[in-house]
Structures are given as C-alpha cells and as structure tokens.
Amino acid sequence: MLYSYRRTICLALYFSTFYLEAISIYETDSFVYHHKESPPSCGYDKTKDIKPKTNCWKSSSLEDCIQTGNLANMAGTNGFYRPRSALARAFYEKQRNDRHLQELDQNEWYRVDSSRLSPELRQKFVQLHSDEETKEFLSSSIDKSSWVWTQIWYLLAKAVLKHFWSITDINGWLGRGSMFVLSEAQARLLLRSAKISGNAAETVVDVGAGDGEVSRRFANLYSVKYATEISASMRKALNNKGYTLLDTEDWWRGQKFDCVCMLNLLDRCSKPKTMLKQARAALAPGGVLMLALVLPYKPYVEVTPDHKPEERLPIQGANFEEQLSSFVEFMGESGFELSSWSRAPYLCEGDFAQAYYWLDDSVYVFTPKSIESDT
C-alpha cells in the first residue's frame, strides 16, 4: 500500500514537471497574431501583452518578430494582482485574452484601403463578411479552448513529442490546430465573381492540404477531390475525409484538374515558383488556381535546416495593399490572370492561452494565360 502511494506521488511529480515545461512552451513558441488597433504584429504562442511590441511590416525577418515578443510583462502591472504560479497566470491571462476577443471588430478582417489599389484591383475585389460558417468555427474554437484537461493533455504531449516530430506532425496526431480560410458560401462568391462554378464533372486538388479542414468546406463543389501532403499524420486525416492522396513530387504529371488549391502554401514551401509552374501545367482548359497568401510575406519552411525557402517570391511593399499589388504583378509575369480576389482572416484553433488566432490572408482566383515562354 505504501509503495502504491509513493508511486502515485512520484508519477504526479513527474507529470507536474512536464506540465510546467509545457506551460513554458506556450510562453515561448512563436505565433503571429493581430491586435485590432495595430498592423500585423508578431508575438509568442499566446497573447499575454495585448498590445504587440513588434510591427511585422517593418521587421527584416520572421526571426526578428519571434525574438521580440514580450507577452507576460503586463500581467499585474496595474499593481492589483499578479498571479505567481504558472497555472494561475494561464487562467488569468486567458480571461484577459477572451475579453479582448469579445471586443474585437471582426469586420476589420475583411477591409482594404481601396485608395491604395489600382482600378483593375478595385474592380475585381469581392467584399466578404463573417458568415455563419465562420462564426461556427470561432464558436467551436472558443469551446475547445475551455476544455482544461484536453488543453493540458495537448501541452504535455507537445512537450514530449517536440523532441521527435515536427509541429505539423504533432498537430495531426493530436487532431488539433485546424485552420479556416473560406466558408463554402465565400468560396462560391469568389468563383462566381470569376464567372466559374463547380459542377458534378469537375475535379479539385488541394496541394499541401494539411488536415484538409481548409478545403473541405468548399471541396464538395467538385465531384472528385485529391490532395497532397508530406506529413504522415496529416495524410491519415485526409484519407479519413475522403481525399485521394497523390504523390507530392509528381501530382501534376499526367492528370489535369479543374481547380488547383494552394491555400497558404507558397510562404511555407521551399520552391514556390516551381509550385506555381506545376500548378499551371496541371490546370485543365478553363481551370482555375485558388490561392491564399498571408501578408505581410514572411516565408518560413518547416522542413529546411535554416527554415528559409530556396526560392523567394519577389513581393515588395510597406502595407497589405502594396504587397498584394506586387504579388498580382508577379503572378501576371508567371502566366496567371487575376479573376477575383478578397481579404479574409486565416483563422486557427487556439489553445490554453487564447481561443483562436488569425493572420491577414489575401485570397485569389487566377486563370492561366499565355506568356512568351509558351511560344
């Protein structure tokens, strides 16, 4: 009996150590987040200091943004209360962050400054809004972030598995960290504005699909859906969602698709220019490229030693609209014509610290066009 008690105490101390390490992990993991009164800003994996200290538009690299976060200092600076334990701080700061999210003006996610856009870009802009499917995702994220024991399990598992797996593989195995870009209605609106609509004869491929949650919401506009993904745990999730998996290197050879999706892939892959050439080659006549890209452009490649891409997109600009214009110009030179575009939040399920996170996403529908290299 005494041995059993001792073993229980030892196990409790052992897992408490992992828990404290996990708490420190979510205090130091990098994550880009936004504040409603500031430009895209960088901080850590949770929003402790609600007003960010670093402006990503002015930072020279993603590493600069990651290293300058300071998200714990504000707790208790009013002199009234400063929690001492990691768990107490986590609860206290989660309450502060949840209040901030409640006050957030979600319309800001979809706004652009039309005065900074060319007449052509203004004409092809599609105004989106937070619809029911978007609100359902946010509501689900808020609920999940309040599952205390589940979130502790995620933190403990991450503390152990981070020594062996990538963050993508960990999230796939845990079934967490799902993303959201477009609802079905929003995707329909973008395609309709480009004078395109899915029908029962069409095929779609999601390149770098992750767990498939982003494209799943509108993939049913097409009768057959394919996907590519390098993460083994994510491929399993894609299989369970009914995607036919293709080889990550040869997916574009020997088959044509009516819609190629590259949703937040170009800033996370090593050779984005090569990927665009493959997408163009894989499009069927009348096909479209649906593309999403986070702005400001800050490439980060998980699988390379220095986390830098071999090919960098030539995107320039000091704000969202300028970088968008630069990217559209590059796409034109690469053999794509813009049909429609919009601005939307790239949403991610949250954690013990904050219910959800977001980035500024630019979303496009392109069609292929003739370029000199074709002749």
Side-chain angles (χ1 to χ4, degrees):
M1 180 69 72
L2 181 60
Y3 172 76
S4 177
Y5 284 141
R6 286 178 176 174
R7 185 175 60 179
T8 301
I9 293 172
C10 288
L11 285 173
L13 291 173
Y14 178 74
F15 284 110
S16 295
T17 302
F18 273 117
Y19 172 74
L20 291 174
E21 180 183 354
I23 290 292
S24 68
I25 285 173
Y26 85 63
E27 290 178 350
T28 56
D29 276 358
S30 62
F31 204 95
V32 182
Y33 68 94
H34 285 183
H35 176 251
K36 63 180 179 180
E37 295 177 353
S38 66
S41 303
C42 289
Y44 293 127
D45 193 32
K46 63 174 188 171
T47 315
K48 290 181 177 178
D49 185 353
I50 295 301
K51 184 169 290 185
K53 298 186 66 177
T54 304
N55 186 342
C56 279
W57 288 109
K58 299 178 181 178
S59 299
S60 59
S61 67
L62 177 66
E63 289 78 8
D64 293 339
C65 293
I66 292 173
Q67 295 298 327
T68 53
N70 180 18
L71 302 176
N73 294 340
M74 296 301 293
T77 55
N78 56 12
F80 292 105
Y81 178 63
R82 185 181 182 86
R84 293 184 178 274
S85 73
L87 184 60
R89 285 199 307 271
F91 279 111
Y92 175 67
E93 288 151 7
K94 176 173 172 53
Q95 290 179 344
R96 295 174 67 238
N97 295 339
D98 286 347
R99 285 196 298 270
H100 162 64
L101 294 179
Q102 291 174 358
E103 298 169 358
L104 185 71
D105 181 7
Q106 296 179 0
N107 292 322
E108 291 289 340
W109 291 341
Y110 303 93
R111 288 180 183 148
V112 297
D113 187 348
S114 59
S115 66
R116 293 174 171 170
L117 300 172
S118 67
E120 180 186 6
L121 287 176
R122 286 199 296 268
Q123 180 184 3
K124 295 181 177 180
F125 175 70
V126 178
Q127 181 65 66
L128 300 179
H129 303 277
S130 180
D131 59 10
E132 287 304 314
E133 195 171 352
T134 307
K135 292 174 182 177
E136 287 175 7
F137 177 85
L138 296 175
S139 177
S140 174
S141 298
I142 292 170
D143 290 342
K144 289 180 181 179
S145 74
S146 300
W147 299 349
V148 176
W149 294 113
T150 300
Q151 295 298 333
I152 290 176
W153 157 241
Y154 288 158
L155 292 169
L156 291 172
K158 186 177 179 181
V160 176
L161 296 176
K162 71 184 182 75
H163 300 290
F164 312 101
W165 292 353
S166 69
I167 296 300
T168 300
D169 286 329
I170 294 172
N171 285 338
W173 185 73
L174 292 174
R176 69 177 298 274
S178 290
M179 311 290 189
F180 183 100
V181 177
L182 295 174
S183 67
E184 179 180 334
Q186 291 169 339
R188 282 183 183 274
L189 185 57
L190 274 172
L191 291 170
R192 191 184 310 126
S193 298
K195 299 180 174 56
I196 299 159
S197 61
N199 61 56
E202 295 178 330
T203 57
V204 60
V205 58
D206 187 0
V207 185
D211 63 359
E213 279 299 300
V214 171
S215 61
R216 175 192 65 81
R217 302 178 185 280
F218 56 84
N220 61 347
L221 298 176
Y222 300 87
S223 58
V224 183
K225 54 185 183 180
Y226 298 89
T228 73
E229 175 56 47
I230 61 173
S231 168
S233 60
M234 292 295 186
R235 288 199 299 270
K236 183 177 180 181
L238 289 166
N239 263 325
N240 294 336
K241 291 183 173 72
Y243 285 85
T244 300
L245 291 174
L246 302 177
D247 184 79
T248 55
E249 298 295 330
D250 298 324
W251 66 272
W252 57 282
R253 301 180 189 273
Q255 186 171 356
K256 299 294 183 180
F257 304 93
D258 298 287
C259 180
V260 174
C261 291
M262 291 185 171
L263 303 173
N264 299 298
L265 171 68
L266 296 185
D267 58 345
R268 292 295 178 262
C269 68
S270 184
K271 296 183 177 181
K273 295 180 181 179
T274 300
M275 297 292 288
L276 288 172
K277 291 177 182 178
Q278 294 174 354
R280 192 166 178 273
L283 283 173
V288 299
L289 170 65
M290 180 176 285
L291 191 149
L293 179 66
V294 170
L295 298 178
Y297 174 58
K298 294 286 182 179
Y300 180 88
V301 183
E302 188 176 44
V303 297
T304 59
D306 60 358
H307 302 302
K308 295 180 180 179
E310 297 178 54
E311 302 171 352
R312 186 180 176 91
L313 299 179
I315 298 176
Q316 304 294 326
N319 53 58
F320 183 92
E321 290 78 11
E322 288 180 6
Q323 288 208 357
L324 181 139
S325 301
S326 177
F327 177 66
V328 171
E329 181 180 355
F330 161 74
M331 290 295 289
E333 297 169 354
S334 302
F336 291 95
E337 182 176 354
L338 180 65
S339 296
S340 62
W341 71 278
S342 190
R343 178 177 181 171
Y346 183 20
L347 298 166
C348 175
E349 286 181 347
D351 51 25
F352 200 59
Q354 185 165 309
Y356 58 86
Y357 299 92
W358 71 95
L359 298 168
D360 277 339
D361 232 1
S362 54
V363 189
Y364 314 83
V365 175
F366 289 103
T367 55
K369 67 176 185 178
S370 298
I371 54 177
E372 290 184 4
S373 60
D374 294 336
T375 60

